[in-house]
Structure formats: C-alpha cells, structure tokens
Amino acid sequence: IYTRHFNNGSKKKILYSLGIDTMKFIKYYKNGQVRDSSFFYYAGDEEIPFKTSKSYYENGTPENITHYGINRYEFTSVSYWPDGSISEQQISPGVKKRYNKKGELIHQMNLNHGEHIYVPREYRQEKHLLKGSYTSRINFKNAELISQKKQVNLKHGGLISIALTTDTNILHLCKIEGFSSDSIYLSKFTYNHLYDGTEKHLILNYDSTFALNNKQLKTIYYSKYGTGKRNIVATTTYIFGVEFIIISFITTAVAVREPSLGLPILAGTLASGIALIKYAKHQYKTMIPKKYDLLEWKIQVKN
C-alpha cells in the first residue's frame, strides 16, 4: 500500500495489503534491521491484531513475540532483555510474570483483560453451593502448612493452585472453601471469555465445588497476600513514588537558586519517592504464589 524511507534511503516502514481490510505492517531501524512485524485487520475504526507480532532490538535479537488466539484478548506473549533472557511472560486470559535481569521472578498476577483476578463478591459466601451437597455440612476451618519450624496460614476464601499426584496439569483459580481433618474443599472458577472490562459480564465463572483428600495433593501454589486489595495498595504506592521522584526533579531548579529552601524539599521528595517504590516492590513480591511440595510440607487443620 505504501513504503516510507529514512533520509539515508533505507526502508522505514512498509504496509502490505493481504486482502480486504487485512494488513501486514513492518517497521525498520536505520541499519535495515526489522523493528516490528505485525498483522491486523479493521473492524470499523479499530485495528485488531491477529496471527503473530514480533519486535526486535536494533542488533536483531528478539524483544517481544506475541501469538494471538481467536480474538485480541486471547494471546501468549514473551518479552526479552537485550541479552536474550526473559523479562516478562503473559498468557491472556491468565498469568502475567515479570523477571529481573538475574532471571528471578519479581512480580506475578492473575490477569483477565487487564483486571486483577479475585473471587467475585457473589461467590465469597456459600450461596452458590447446592443445598444438600456435602459442602453444606463442612465446618469451614482454616489450616496451615507446616515444615519443621516453618508455618504458613491457608486462609479460607483465598485463591490457590494445585497439582495432583495423579496428574501433571495444574488446577488454577481455586478458592479455598475450608478444611476437614484430612481433606481440602475447593471451588473451581474459570475465566469468562465474554468479559469485556464492563459489568455486563462477570470476570470469573463458577465451575464446581469439590473435595480432595490431602493425600491426593502433590504441590500447592499459594500466597495469602495474593488479593485484589494488596494489588491496589502496591500499584497506588508505586504511582505515588514515581510522582514524588518527578517532583524532586522539578524542585532541582529551586534548589539551585535557593539552596536553603530547595535542598530540603529535593532531599525529602526524592527519599520519599524511593522509599514508596521499594515498599511497592516488596508488596508485589509478597503476592507471588510460592510453591509448596507436600513431600516436605504437611497440612494441619486449626482447631
């Protein structure tokens, strides 16, 4: 459809037509290396991505590869640091993980079209459970994981993922309903693919409630801090921290002209901003589910 060039004559971007309202778009660096490659089609005034999008660093190493599913909301995406190590992984709807340059997992969230996942209000009580089912007879108790001198509380109502001794698949988005002497009771949820970010559709759909004997459990992935409330606190704190740092840069000019007035403000806002960002990162880290191997950990019901 069109080609654009840099002043040195090398290609800058090319737009190809692949059919009615279907396009392929390629951008380049000045050295001729591909910068971005993507496919999209028009739906009204919107550009809808599909197939596979790729972006690269100027030296040609991959920066991001995203594979789209049946719509723009279903995709898998992997981003890379310049040295080739993974910086971010995301499955939408699903889990988003961020890594530092050392390869350490520093942030993980369950996402569904940008929304932090939590158990919807209408499912927080047991109203969705069928009358007469075994769940109506549960004495809902909390429990704890114990390993030597370590203890981790398993909170009723928390989200948990589990792997069974008889299956390699992991069951995600399970709500802890309670515990008996030898069993855990869970409600399973699934992502609602119709969810569009509005109240028209629920984020999660209730699937079923069931019991598992503790001996059936192989691994538990759990964080008692993995809540929507903590995510809001962490995000808000991080935003305030960034704003304080921006303010400190703005007050630099005042500090130069009026050191007695500007320097205390500069030092205070900069220190506050750094402290808030560190606190937010700590909050994010506490939300990352940890892996508990039940060969090493034991579930003990609280009286």
Side-chain angles (χ1 to χ4, degrees), residues 9 17 48 77 107 171 205 237 257 269 285:
S17 173
I48 310 298
S77 177
H107 188 192
L171 293 176
N205 284 329
T237 304
R257 292 196 302 267
T269 53
K285 284 184 178 180

Side-chain angles (χ1 to χ4, degrees), residues 6 44 53 64 66 161 213 226 239 245 278 285 302:
F6 290 104
S53 295
N64 176 271
T66 300
S161 297
N213 188 282
I239 291 171
I245 290 177
K278 285 184 177 180
K285 284 184 178 180
K302 291 184 177 182

Side-chain angles (χ1 to χ4, degrees), residues 110-139:
N110 285 327
L111 297 173
N112 188 56
H113 310 336
E115 293 288 339
H116 185 82
I117 287 300
Y118 57 94
V119 177
R121 189 176 302 278
E122 58 269 31
Y123 295 131
R124 292 179 193 173
Q125 303 300 322
E126 283 63 53
K127 294 178 181 178
H128 61 286
L129 305 181
L130 297 176
K131 291 183 178 180
S133 67
Y134 59 81
T135 54
S136 64
R137 298 192 296 273
I138 299 175
N139 181 12

Side-chain angles (χ1 to χ4, degrees), residues 37 134 194 248 262 292 300:
S37 173
Y134 59 81
L194 297 177
S248 70
Y292 298 97
Q300 180 173 299

Side-chain angles (χ1 to χ4, degrees), residues 47-267:
E47 294 181 358
I48 310 298
F50 72 103
K51 293 185 73 171
T52 301
S53 295
K54 299 179 180 180
S55 62
Y56 302 86
Y57 291 102
E58 198 165 358
N59 64 0
T61 59
E63 182 177 9
N64 176 271
I65 299 175
T66 300
H67 301 283
Y68 290 95
I70 59 175
N71 59 55
R72 78 180 102 173
Y73 301 117
E74 295 186 8
F75 63 83
T76 59
S77 177
V78 181
S79 297
Y80 302 89
W81 293 108
D83 65 359
S85 59
I86 294 175
S87 64
E88 185 173 289
Q89 288 179 306
Q90 182 173 353
I91 300 174
S92 179
V95 177
K96 183 176 183 179
K97 301 178 180 180
R98 292 176 183 167
Y99 301 85
N100 61 21
K101 292 184 178 180
K102 297 179 182 179
E104 299 169 336
L105 181 64
I106 58 174
H107 188 192
Q108 176 172 312
M109 288 192 299
N110 285 327
L111 297 173
N112 188 56
H113 310 336
E115 293 288 339
H116 185 82
I117 287 300
Y118 57 94
V119 177
R121 189 176 302 278
E122 58 269 31
Y123 295 131
R124 292 179 193 173
Q125 303 300 322
E126 283 63 53
K127 294 178 181 178
H128 61 286
L129 305 181
L130 297 176
K131 291 183 178 180
S133 67
Y134 59 81
T135 54
S136 64
R137 298 192 296 273
I138 299 175
N139 181 12
F140 288 107
K141 294 181 178 180
N142 289 328
E144 56 190 3
L145 289 166
I146 297 177
S147 177
Q148 297 178 355
K149 295 183 179 180
K150 298 180 181 179
Q151 294 181 344
V152 178
N153 291 326
L154 293 172
K155 298 175 67 175
H156 166 235
L159 284 179
I160 195 170
S161 297
I162 57 173
L164 304 179
T165 55
T166 56
D167 194 353
T168 57
N169 294 322
I170 297 177
L171 293 176
H172 294 288
L173 284 179
C174 294
K175 173 194 169 189
I176 299 175
E177 297 290 0
F179 298 87
S180 63
S181 60
D182 61 355
S183 298
I184 181 173
Y185 295 81
L186 302 170
S187 287
K188 179 76 176 69
F189 295 86
T190 58
Y191 290 106
N192 182 3
H193 294 279
L194 297 177
Y195 180 71
D196 57 2
T198 67
E199 295 182 358
K200 182 179 178 181
H201 301 290
L202 296 175
I203 302 175
L204 296 180
N205 284 329
Y206 168 71
D207 181 89
S208 58
T209 298
F210 52 91
L212 291 172
N213 188 282
N214 293 341
K215 293 181 180 180
Q216 294 177 266
L217 303 178
K218 178 182 179 183
T219 311
I220 286 176
Y221 301 85
Y222 172 77
S223 170
K224 65 179 180 180
Y225 301 114
T227 62
K229 182 178 179 180
R230 178 157 291 217
N231 181 63
I232 292 172
V233 171
T235 303
T236 304
T237 304
Y238 189 87
I239 291 171
F240 276 113
V242 172
E243 289 182 348
F244 270 111
I245 290 177
I246 292 173
I247 291 172
S248 70
F249 289 135
I250 295 173
T251 57
T252 302
V254 178
V256 172
R257 292 196 302 267
E258 298 287 344
S260 60
L261 174 64
L263 285 177
I265 298 175
L266 174 61

